[in-house]
Amino acid sequence: MSEPTKLLFVCLGNICRSPTAEGVMRHIVEQEGLADRFELDSAGTGSWHIGEAPDPRSTAHAEARGIAIGGKARQVSSADFDHYDLILAADEFNFRDLRSIAPTDELETKVKMLREFDPMSTPDDLDVPDPYYGGPNGFDDVIDLVEAACRGLLDSVLSETV
Ligand code: 4NP
């Protein structure tokens, strides 16, 4: 049995977008009977929400689609760059922050924009917009965007193109 593919989803606070992405990806791989082939986690570039559960708005919008999200917020660490195969940034700020804290140039190449894996995305529009200060639609949009990206990510991992 080969090692699981280890994926870390990263946003700013680790209470909205990245726990949603982690939960959506877990939901997809469980549906596909592939859960044992993946190790999934999420983290934030910031430290403000360490130890907190996901934002209740994220939890409610995910639950309405039958997707469970959970865990406690944590900050990304340099050890994550060794451990994970891919580190998936929710937006361009997260991407730049992650690249700047990567311990080596080689480990920096593990950092990708999550929406790069959405076959319908375009290179000039790869952000998952931060829903924190907006209305409820933003939380639904996050789920739509991360779901399309996670399905593409699964296809890429299965076809070993990443
Ligand atoms: P996230 O959303 O990065 O998707 O978890 C945010 C959560 C909290 C804050 C910003 C974004 N904040 O400024 O506290």
Side-chain angles (χ1 to χ4, degrees), residues 17 20-21 24 114 128 141-151:
R17 293 166 292 174
T20 300
V24 165
L114 173 61
V128 181
D141 292 345
V142 167
I143 301 176
D144 290 339
L145 293 173
V146 302
E147 187 166 4
C150 286
R151 289 199 181 277

Side-chain angles (χ1 to χ4, degrees), residues 11-19 48-49 130-133:
C11 61
L12 178 62
N14 192 209
I15 54 170
C16 298
R17 293 166 292 174
S18 61
W48 307 282
H49 297 282
D130 183 350
Y132 191 69
Y133 293 106

